[in-house]
Amino acid sequence: MMDIPSSTPRFELVTLGRACIDLNAVEYNRPMEETMTFSKYVGGSPANIAIGAARLGLTTGFIGKIADDQHGRFIRSYMEHAGVDAAHFVVDTEGHKTGLAFTEIKSPEECSILMYRDDVADLYLRPEEIEESYIRDAGLLLISGTALAQSPSREAAVQAIQYARRHGVKIAFELDYRPYTWTSPAETSVYYSLVAAQCDIVIGTRDEYDVMENRSHGSNEQTISTLFASGASLVVIKHGVEGSYAYTNTGETYRGHAYKTKVLKTFGAGDSYAAAFLYATIRGKDIGTALQYGSAAASIVVSKHSSSDAMPTVDEIETLIAQQPVIPS
Amino acid sequence: MMDIPSSTPRFELVTLGRACIDLNAVEYNRPMEETMTFSKYVGGSPANIAIGAARLGLTTGFIGKIADDQHGRFIRSYMEHAGVDAAHFVVDTEGHKTGLAFTEIKSPEECSILMYRDDVADLYLRPEEIEESYIRDAGLLLISGTALAQSPSREAAVQAIQYARRHGVKIAFELDYRPYTWTSPAETSVYYSLVAAQCDIVIGTRDEYDVMENRSHGSNEQTISTLFASGASLVVIKHGVEGSYAYTNTGETYRGHAYKTKVLKTFGAGDSYAAAFLYATIRGKDIGTALQYGSAAASIVVSKHSSSDAMPTVDEIETLIAQQPVIPS
Amino acid sequence: MMDIPSSTPRFELVTLGRACIDLNAVEYNRPMEETMTFSKYVGGSPANIAIGAARLGLTTGFIGKIADDQHGRFIRSYMEHAGVDAAHFVVDTEGHKTGLAFTEIKSPEECSILMYRDDVADLYLRPEEIEESYIRDAGLLLISGTALAQSPSREAAVQAIQYARRHGVKIAFELDYRPYTWTSPAETSVYYSLVAAQCDIVIGTRDEYDVMENRSHGSNEQTISTLFASGASLVVIKHGVEGSYAYTNTGETYRGHAYKTKVLKTFGAGDSYAAAFLYATIRGKDIGTALQYGSAAASIVVSKHSSSDAMPTVDEIETLIAQQPVIPS
Amino acid sequence: MMDIPSSTPRFELVTLGRACIDLNAVEYNRPMEETMTFSKYVGGSPANIAIGAARLGLTTGFIGKIADDQHGRFIRSYMEHAGVDAAHFVVDTEGHKTGLAFTEIKSPEECSILMYRDDVADLYLRPEEIEESYIRDAGLLLISGTALAQSPSREAAVQAIQYARRHGVKIAFELDYRPYTWTSPAETSVYYSLVAAQCDIVIGTRDEYDVMENRSHGSNEQTISTLFASGASLVVIKHGVEGSYAYTNTGETYRGHAYKTKVLKTFGAGDSYAAAFLYATIRGKDIGTALQYGSAAASIVVSKHSSSDAMPTVDEIETLIAQQPVIPS
């Protein structure tokens, strides 16, 4: 349970980073070469988390740069209809395009993404485009790791963190590691370490923490020891179907279990997890319950065709928790 | 009627330039923001011309660089099935992506394209990747103007022209002007002039010739005067629904008329025109007939949803010529 | 007086950043257009500080990337002869050049620099080229602000800081702001704030602190309040001929005065100041005395033709302090 | 003897390309690491040729882009004083720097250059900055091969050629091959071939023609056969101390011999050769004499410290021809 300021923030959650287009294979269980039709959805981890959080009922804002074209306008319109505040969408004026993700679903176990991420609009968010008062009025600021991959988006994310710290706003860091936007593992490690050291909550998979630490097969104990020393209060480490762990700087450890489900594809699991976990935490549920919210939301999204569109409601999550068996450890 | 070498060439036509992916709106007559599904087709002017020429029965080759991903493999496979020789597809090894064109069809009169052309694979074809013997064995080499837009594709196109001239292979230049890949009008004018001065056949719209001449409202007389002085033998200038003109360096002028048709979208008209006009010319039809082949093929493609897939057969063209009234001048 | 670890470090000071070539006008007191001969010197703030510190007797190391050419080899040779350990000079292998500074001395009050800083070798130092043990064995690590201006040098500097903090090595930050290498004031402010928050000692001019704070006419009180809150223990703020101030996190304030001197040019003043101030601090002199060491060293360098070559000895400094009047406040 | 238009042109010679700064070792016969002082001169092949031609008495103009800084202003001032028309110097407005060449003279046989050519101002000359009337009024336009190395300077050079051809102005091409500014040998070959095919006079070393032909050990016979076929009338091929050959499209061959001299360094030989050869040709001397003018001028420059400053007068050339023995073949 987070230590939330008593006064009600304007937005319970503000996420920062990319909002993109997913082009999901309509004909699936085949290689993409044989897919002839694609469905369009909003995508990108922090956009998905904002949409998921809004669907769960959090007051939610989003900070990001979108292209001045049909795809950019679709993203804005979709997110506004989903209940996300769009006042801090910054429209690109330099001709940058919207990032694209063509999804290939060969089988539930073999999913891959063909990415268009060169010179995309979201990576051109600039530090002077971050409005201090929008950060100041947030209950929690979530930074997506991919926003750190290139300049000037990298500096915009750090600027947002500096504003949040100045005003005592809590910060969550979703590691969201996407190798293709980074120059080298050493570069990723430098920025992930730098940012994690300034955040209250860190969420990622075990593999992502290894990237942050620039090592292989790191241990959760080492990870939390470093992060608690630099000031984090809550660290979530996900281990796939084996479930997830939450550690607090007060010494508690919680374990969450994954739910059995019929997997259509693996995309979107992490985003729905983060949205539901943060929802539960912000709304004062205990950490063990928050972990199950995360697992349940992930389980729902992987069984459906889209990521953003499939973000569940509280009812859907609670129904699944009540009815569905977990995968035993 | 072209002066074709008497020995049969290995390929009657070899086109050089880009092969891309068109993502055509499935739900159309609306802004793209409201289109939720897209169909995938091969696109790009020289790829479309090669597909169109092969469908008409010409032996056809293609020179271009394609991405090493699902889209690149789809392009190769589609073109091979369409009868285009794929021996000189060069596969990119530096991670460049396939160019994309999302088509928006608001109405038959309001069509636009949202392009992804930054750092695309086709613009990375290098001069040392052009095989001299492949050019030498062609009956006609067609250069697409867009291949000149950036280095090293620009140098690859010039290299192909130098090989063709060394071996007496005729060269056609399809102006195919796409402003977004060029730095400035002055740059386009420099390269269009340079290449047109080395070609036998030049095909373009009146607007494209104005770009070549870096002027507004140029006249056909000035255009042909310059081109014939530098060695061209046949110049085709298209004036939209008003029809097209063909001029020869022996002083003849031909006029072609457009056919009445139910237009779905305007994309692909120029490519099908070029394929059918060159087919007729190569196969020894007179220039007046060749112009009507071009018009008929364009008319067929604009009434259908795709460009490459809709390329007509000889039967379809001849049926339309026999049955359909032209738009009077 | 710094709290230095009791065990003797391998190097009392290690500086990180650029080493360049100064080309100083042989004929001066005129515009550079009329200067026909230039003398070559090693330049660049952290290189000058290392040379100055070595001349004062500190065991000194340097971390930086130098070009694989005649200028790079001259730099290495010169610094080795000056007593700087050159084991962590990294030689560039990608053809980058050595940064150049042509100095123009129109009059003692009108000095300017014509910089060659595009794609220079020093900005290509990579984080994976920083050796953890070299940092671990240092008594004090000095980071030059210019090393933060571009990637990957920026990440290399942050990596060095992360290693220093891991091993309890003290860190000094010389702001060394050079506008031409930065994209925007917002970008500079983000990184200067980020790095200053991780350092023990911060040294700069009042103007440089204003850059860090992205404001005009900031006050020393605000500056030290922010820096002490984030963990700094000693902050030096220079006000030109009005002298300099040192503030400690234990509440003490010291004032240093500038010495009267015959100024030939203004270059190199800050570097000699930093070298002498840090020498005095490391060797246990009180802060008031360290400020006068800095002022005296600056006074000596501005009266001479070069920066690196003119770095004074302890005797020269102490003689000047004993004999020369200060500029009264 | 060239076929020069009867009306007197405004400038007998206009050269196009780079104007740079040479920084020549004051202390020589040693590695540059040990050279501590450098003298400043104007450099760059087409600037040197313009200066040399003006010194010989030709009315001379220059087209090039120079940096908006002390080095750029020095270049302009020096060339104007040397008698070169500076009306078509274009001043860069985007912060590009002047190219630099530090010369290293280890011995007369071991000379090398440390080049600063990244993003230099001269390579940013744009085609729209070429004034048609300035070309139209020239007697001869000389294009330097290095101007073709990068865009937009490449397009500016081609634009100048197109203007010259439109107005019947003769064109000379000095191959001036500098590998470091080119991407690949294939790229150089494409543009050298393209431009040579449009010029009247081509001048280069045997090695440079091999670069143009993208082969090793090419023969003069092949070279002239290709160039005469595309329209050249005069081809000069230099073979170092073995002398040079001039070939005309009317079937004549001339041989020039090098003069014995005391060589200080090899820089500048080609530029003085071109200036004197073109001077003699423009002023109606026979080709055999023009070759000796070229050899004599080269011989004078290699015996002196600079290139531009050492360009000889007609008297100096004629005195040397009268007194100095040639190197026998």
Side-chain angles (χ1 to χ4, degrees), chain A residues 153-187:
Chain A
S153 164
R154 177 183 288 166
E155 289 82 47
V158 175
Q159 178 69 83
I161 291 168
Q162 291 175 343
Y163 287 148
R165 289 172 66 91
R166 180 180 298 172
H167 296 290
V169 173
K170 298 280 179 188
I171 310 167
F173 183 25
E174 224 295 346
L175 299 183
D176 182 31
Y177 175 60
R178 304 282 169 167
Y180 37 75
T181 32
W182 290 90
T183 302
S184 71
E187 185 194 41

Tab-separated table of all heavy atoms in Angstrom, chain A residues 153-187:
chain	number	residue	atom	x	y	z
A	153	SER	N	13.716	12.483	-26.224
A	153	SER	CA	12.727	11.872	-25.337
A	153	SER	C	13.364	11.504	-23.998
A	153	SER	O	12.745	11.627	-22.931
A	153	SER	CB	12.156	10.621	-26.011
A	153	SER	OG	11.497	9.802	-25.104
A	154	ARG	N	14.618	11.080	-24.058
A	154	ARG	CA	15.349	10.709	-22.839
A	154	ARG	C	15.400	11.888	-21.869
A	154	ARG	O	15.119	11.734	-20.676
A	154	ARG	CB	16.763	10.304	-23.258
A	154	ARG	CG	17.693	9.952	-22.162
A	154	ARG	CD	19.079	9.654	-22.738
A	154	ARG	NE	19.080	8.370	-23.457
A	154	ARG	CZ	20.064	7.989	-24.279
A	154	ARG	NH1	21.098	8.802	-24.509
A	154	ARG	NH2	20.002	6.813	-24.891
A	155	GLU	N	15.750	13.059	-22.381
A	155	GLU	CA	15.858	14.224	-21.503
A	155	GLU	C	14.473	14.666	-21.021
A	155	GLU	O	14.319	15.166	-19.909
A	155	GLU	CB	16.516	15.392	-22.235
A	155	GLU	CG	17.989	15.180	-22.502
A	155	GLU	CD	18.263	14.327	-23.726
A	155	GLU	OE1	17.652	14.590	-24.774
A	155	GLU	OE2	19.063	13.390	-23.646
A	156	ALA	N	13.458	14.476	-21.862
A	156	ALA	CA	12.095	14.821	-21.443
A	156	ALA	C	11.679	13.957	-20.262
A	156	ALA	O	11.082	14.446	-19.293
A	156	ALA	CB	11.120	14.655	-22.613
A	157	ALA	N	12.012	12.666	-20.321
A	157	ALA	CA	11.659	11.768	-19.219
A	157	ALA	C	12.398	12.164	-17.944
A	157	ALA	O	11.816	12.198	-16.852
A	157	ALA	CB	11.973	10.319	-19.594
A	158	VAL	N	13.687	12.495	-18.078
A	158	VAL	CA	14.458	12.896	-16.887
A	158	VAL	C	13.918	14.219	-16.333
A	158	VAL	O	13.814	14.400	-15.120
A	158	VAL	CB	15.962	12.991	-17.219
A	158	VAL	CG1	16.736	13.537	-16.022
A	158	VAL	CG2	16.513	11.623	-17.608
A	159	GLN	N	13.544	15.114	-17.228
A	159	GLN	CA	12.959	16.385	-16.781
A	159	GLN	C	11.682	16.130	-15.983
A	159	GLN	O	11.468	16.746	-14.928
A	159	GLN	CB	12.654	17.260	-18.002
A	159	GLN	CG	12.011	18.585	-17.669
A	159	GLN	CD	12.950	19.518	-16.954
A	159	GLN	OE1	13.758	20.207	-17.554
A	159	GLN	NE2	12.858	19.552	-15.623
A	160	ALA	N	10.847	15.220	-16.466
A	160	ALA	CA	9.603	14.895	-15.746
A	160	ALA	C	9.916	14.335	-14.361
A	160	ALA	O	9.259	14.685	-13.370
A	160	ALA	CB	8.767	13.904	-16.563
A	161	ILE	N	10.940	13.495	-14.290
A	161	ILE	CA	11.339	12.930	-12.993
A	161	ILE	C	11.817	14.041	-12.057
A	161	ILE	O	11.475	14.064	-10.868
A	161	ILE	CB	12.445	11.866	-13.207
A	161	ILE	CG1	11.854	10.636	-13.904
A	161	ILE	CG2	13.106	11.484	-11.886
A	161	ILE	CD1	12.894	9.654	-14.414
A	162	GLN	N	12.617	14.979	-12.600
A	162	GLN	CA	13.112	16.070	-11.753
A	162	GLN	C	11.954	16.923	-11.233
A	162	GLN	O	11.958	17.338	-10.068
A	162	GLN	CB	14.149	16.903	-12.534
A	162	GLN	CG	15.446	16.101	-12.782
A	162	GLN	CD	16.475	16.822	-13.650
A	162	GLN	OE1	16.161	17.786	-14.338
A	162	GLN	NE2	17.707	16.333	-13.619
A	163	TYR	N	10.952	17.166	-12.070
A	163	TYR	CA	9.771	17.900	-11.603
A	163	TYR	C	9.041	17.107	-10.513
A	163	TYR	O	8.601	17.657	-9.505
A	163	TYR	CB	8.814	18.203	-12.753
A	163	TYR	CG	9.266	19.275	-13.699
A	163	TYR	CD1	8.915	19.228	-15.044
A	163	TYR	CD2	10.047	20.362	-13.281
A	163	TYR	CE1	9.307	20.220	-15.945
A	163	TYR	CE2	10.453	21.356	-14.167
A	163	TYR	CZ	10.078	21.282	-15.498
A	163	TYR	OH	10.473	22.251	-16.374
A	164	ALA	N	8.871	15.815	-10.742
A	164	ALA	CA	8.140	14.991	-9.771
A	164	ALA	C	8.844	15.007	-8.418
A	164	ALA	O	8.217	15.179	-7.366
A	164	ALA	CB	8.005	13.561	-10.301
A	165	ARG	N	10.166	14.871	-8.448
A	165	ARG	CA	10.910	14.857	-7.180
A	165	ARG	C	10.825	16.212	-6.484
A	165	ARG	O	10.711	16.283	-5.251
A	165	ARG	CB	12.360	14.456	-7.422
A	165	ARG	CG	12.492	12.973	-7.778
A	165	ARG	CD	13.901	12.612	-8.201
A	165	ARG	NE	14.849	12.737	-7.106
A	165	ARG	CZ	15.181	11.747	-6.266
A	165	ARG	NH1	14.593	10.556	-6.396
A	165	ARG	NH2	16.064	11.943	-5.321
A	166	ARG	N	10.865	17.266	-7.267
A	166	ARG	CA	10.777	18.613	-6.681
A	166	ARG	C	9.463	18.789	-5.910
A	166	ARG	O	9.414	19.481	-4.895
A	166	ARG	CB	10.874	19.653	-7.794
A	166	ARG	CG	10.800	21.083	-7.315
A	166	ARG	CD	10.912	22.097	-8.454
A	166	ARG	NE	12.201	22.005	-9.139
A	166	ARG	CZ	12.500	22.663	-10.258
A	166	ARG	NH1	11.600	23.453	-10.829
A	166	ARG	NH2	13.673	22.540	-10.831
A	167	HIS	N	8.390	18.141	-6.413
A	167	HIS	CA	7.073	18.335	-5.808
A	167	HIS	C	6.618	17.144	-4.989
A	167	HIS	O	5.441	17.059	-4.621
A	167	HIS	CB	6.050	18.650	-6.904
A	167	HIS	CG	6.343	19.948	-7.597
A	167	HIS	ND1	6.178	21.165	-6.982
A	167	HIS	CD2	6.852	20.219	-8.824
A	167	HIS	CE1	6.539	22.134	-7.812
A	167	HIS	NE2	6.963	21.591	-8.935
A	168	GLY	N	7.528	16.211	-4.727
A	168	GLY	CA	7.149	15.082	-3.892
A	168	GLY	C	6.155	14.133	-4.540
A	168	GLY	O	5.450	13.400	-3.843
A	169	VAL	N	6.090	14.127	-5.876
A	169	VAL	CA	5.193	13.194	-6.570
A	169	VAL	C	5.890	11.848	-6.697
A	169	VAL	O	7.057	11.784	-7.091
A	169	VAL	CB	4.833	13.747	-7.974
A	169	VAL	CG1	4.041	12.722	-8.784
A	169	VAL	CG2	4.067	15.060	-7.836
A	170	LYS	N	5.208	10.781	-6.356
A	170	LYS	CA	5.766	9.437	-6.446
A	170	LYS	C	6.014	9.076	-7.918
A	170	LYS	O	5.262	9.496	-8.806
A	170	LYS	CB	4.801	8.409	-5.854
A	170	LYS	CG	4.528	8.621	-4.381
A	170	LYS	CD	5.662	8.073	-3.527
A	170	LYS	CE	5.375	8.326	-2.044
A	170	LYS	NZ	6.542	7.980	-1.208
A	171	ILE	N	7.030	8.266	-8.141
A	171	ILE	CA	7.405	7.888	-9.507
A	171	ILE	C	7.496	6.376	-9.621
A	171	ILE	O	8.130	5.713	-8.790
A	171	ILE	CB	8.775	8.489	-9.891
A	171	ILE	CG1	8.820	9.994	-9.583
A	171	ILE	CG2	9.086	8.228	-11.369
A	171	ILE	CD1	10.228	10.581	-9.653
A	172	ALA	N	6.854	5.842	-10.673
A	172	ALA	CA	6.991	4.418	-10.999
A	172	ALA	C	7.778	4.285	-12.298
A	172	ALA	O	7.650	5.110	-13.197
A	172	ALA	CB	5.610	3.766	-11.163
A	173	PHE	N	8.594	3.248	-12.380
A	173	PHE	CA	9.424	3.015	-13.559
A	173	PHE	C	9.069	1.633	-14.098
A	173	PHE	O	9.285	0.633	-13.440
A	173	PHE	CB	10.900	3.095	-13.144
A	173	PHE	CG	11.900	2.953	-14.260
A	173	PHE	CD1	11.598	3.264	-15.579
A	173	PHE	CD2	13.208	2.513	-13.971
A	173	PHE	CE1	12.547	3.143	-16.588
A	173	PHE	CE2	14.155	2.391	-14.981
A	173	PHE	CZ	13.831	2.699	-16.288
A	174	GLU	N	8.462	1.598	-15.281
A	174	GLU	CA	8.176	0.307	-15.948
A	174	GLU	C	9.329	0.087	-16.920
A	174	GLU	O	9.504	0.856	-17.875
A	174	GLU	CB	6.842	0.404	-16.703
A	174	GLU	CG	5.911	-0.771	-16.562
A	174	GLU	CD	6.419	-2.080	-17.152
A	174	GLU	OE1	7.400	-2.047	-17.918
A	174	GLU	OE2	5.835	-3.135	-16.867
A	175	LEU	N	10.121	-0.937	-16.725
A	175	LEU	CA	11.389	-1.047	-17.458
A	175	LEU	C	11.151	-1.135	-18.964
A	175	LEU	O	11.876	-0.532	-19.751
A	175	LEU	CB	12.203	-2.235	-16.949
A	175	LEU	CG	12.593	-2.139	-15.465
A	175	LEU	CD1	13.464	-3.342	-15.072
A	175	LEU	CD2	13.350	-0.866	-15.132
A	176	ASP	N	10.153	-1.886	-19.389
A	176	ASP	CA	9.703	-1.885	-20.789
A	176	ASP	C	10.895	-1.844	-21.765
A	176	ASP	O	11.039	-0.923	-22.562
A	176	ASP	CB	8.803	-0.650	-21.001
A	176	ASP	CG	8.242	-0.584	-22.424
A	176	ASP	OD1	8.016	-1.631	-23.040
A	176	ASP	OD2	8.067	0.555	-22.913
A	177	TYR	N	11.719	-2.870	-21.691
A	177	TYR	CA	12.949	-2.872	-22.498
A	177	TYR	C	12.677	-3.386	-23.905
A	177	TYR	O	12.189	-4.496	-24.088
A	177	TYR	CB	14.001	-3.760	-21.812
A	177	TYR	CG	15.250	-3.918	-22.624
A	177	TYR	CD1	16.024	-2.812	-22.977
A	177	TYR	CD2	15.677	-5.184	-23.040
A	177	TYR	CE1	17.168	-2.962	-23.723
A	177	TYR	CE2	16.826	-5.339	-23.786
A	177	TYR	CZ	17.562	-4.218	-24.131
A	177	TYR	OH	18.701	-4.369	-24.875
A	178	ARG	N	13.005	-2.573	-24.913
A	178	ARG	CA	12.862	-2.930	-26.326
A	178	ARG	C	14.223	-2.748	-26.980
A	178	ARG	O	14.623	-1.607	-27.263
A	178	ARG	CB	11.840	-1.994	-26.996
A	178	ARG	CG	10.483	-1.978	-26.307
A	178	ARG	CD	9.701	-3.204	-26.680
A	178	ARG	NE	8.503	-3.344	-25.848
A	178	ARG	CZ	7.522	-4.189	-26.151
A	178	ARG	NH1	7.590	-4.942	-27.229
A	178	ARG	NH2	6.482	-4.293	-25.350
A	179	PRO	N	14.956	-3.813	-27.200
A	179	PRO	CA	16.361	-3.662	-27.621
A	179	PRO	C	16.568	-2.824	-28.875
A	179	PRO	O	17.564	-2.121	-28.973
A	179	PRO	CB	16.823	-5.108	-27.855
A	179	PRO	CG	15.679	-5.991	-27.600
A	179	PRO	CD	14.552	-5.207	-27.032
A	180	TYR	N	15.648	-2.855	-29.849
A	180	TYR	CA	15.934	-2.237	-31.149
A	180	TYR	C	16.069	-0.736	-31.106
A	180	TYR	O	16.532	-0.137	-32.053
A	180	TYR	CB	14.890	-2.649	-32.188
A	180	TYR	CG	13.516	-2.755	-31.622
A	180	TYR	CD1	12.777	-1.636	-31.323
A	180	TYR	CD2	12.985	-4.013	-31.330
A	180	TYR	CE1	11.535	-1.735	-30.752
A	180	TYR	CE2	11.741	-4.119	-30.755
A	180	TYR	CZ	11.018	-2.976	-30.477
A	180	TYR	OH	9.799	-3.077	-29.896
A	181	THR	N	15.620	-0.084	-30.026
A	181	THR	CA	15.771	1.378	-29.985
A	181	THR	C	17.045	1.822	-29.275
A	181	THR	O	17.320	3.014	-29.208
A	181	THR	CB	14.560	2.038	-29.294
A	181	THR	OG1	14.071	1.168	-28.301
A	181	THR	CG2	13.468	2.343	-30.286
A	182	TRP	N	17.814	0.885	-28.751
A	182	TRP	CA	19.004	1.235	-27.968
A	182	TRP	C	20.275	0.988	-28.781
A	182	TRP	O	20.334	0.086	-29.612
A	182	TRP	CB	19.054	0.404	-26.696
A	182	TRP	CG	17.998	0.776	-25.697
A	182	TRP	CD1	16.745	0.254	-25.600
A	182	TRP	CD2	18.101	1.762	-24.675
A	182	TRP	NE1	16.068	0.855	-24.571
A	182	TRP	CE2	16.875	1.784	-23.981
A	182	TRP	CE3	19.115	2.625	-24.257
A	182	TRP	CZ2	16.633	2.645	-22.905
A	182	TRP	CZ3	18.880	3.481	-23.194
A	182	TRP	CH2	17.648	3.490	-22.524
A	183	THR	N	21.306	1.757	-28.466
A	183	THR	CA	22.597	1.626	-29.141
A	183	THR	C	23.393	0.444	-28.626
A	183	THR	O	24.017	-0.281	-29.393
A	183	THR	CB	23.416	2.921	-28.937
A	183	THR	OG1	22.666	4.004	-29.460
A	183	THR	CG2	24.757	2.833	-29.628
A	184	SER	N	23.405	0.254	-27.328
A	184	SER	CA	24.225	-0.812	-26.738
A	184	SER	C	23.665	-1.176	-25.379
A	184	SER	O	23.003	-0.360	-24.722
A	184	SER	CB	25.669	-0.347	-26.570
A	184	SER	OG	25.752	0.622	-25.537
A	185	PRO	N	23.941	-2.405	-24.896
A	185	PRO	CA	23.520	-2.793	-23.542
A	185	PRO	C	24.128	-1.881	-22.481
A	185	PRO	O	23.468	-1.565	-21.485
A	185	PRO	CB	24.052	-4.222	-23.407
A	185	PRO	CG	24.181	-4.715	-24.804
A	185	PRO	CD	24.558	-3.521	-25.636
A	186	ALA	N	25.357	-1.418	-22.687
A	186	ALA	CA	25.982	-0.534	-21.694
A	186	ALA	C	25.186	0.762	-21.561
A	186	ALA	O	24.997	1.285	-20.452
A	186	ALA	CB	27.430	-0.230	-22.083
A	187	GLU	N	24.717	1.299	-22.694
A	187	GLU	CA	23.931	2.526	-22.666
A	187	GLU	C	22.620	2.314	-21.893
A	187	GLU	O	22.231	3.130	-21.051
A	187	GLU	CB	23.619	2.945	-24.106
A	187	GLU	CG	22.914	4.277	-24.231
A	187	GLU	CD	22.328	4.468	-25.628
A	187	GLU	OE1	21.766	3.508	-26.199
A	187	GLU	OE2	22.424	5.592	-26.149
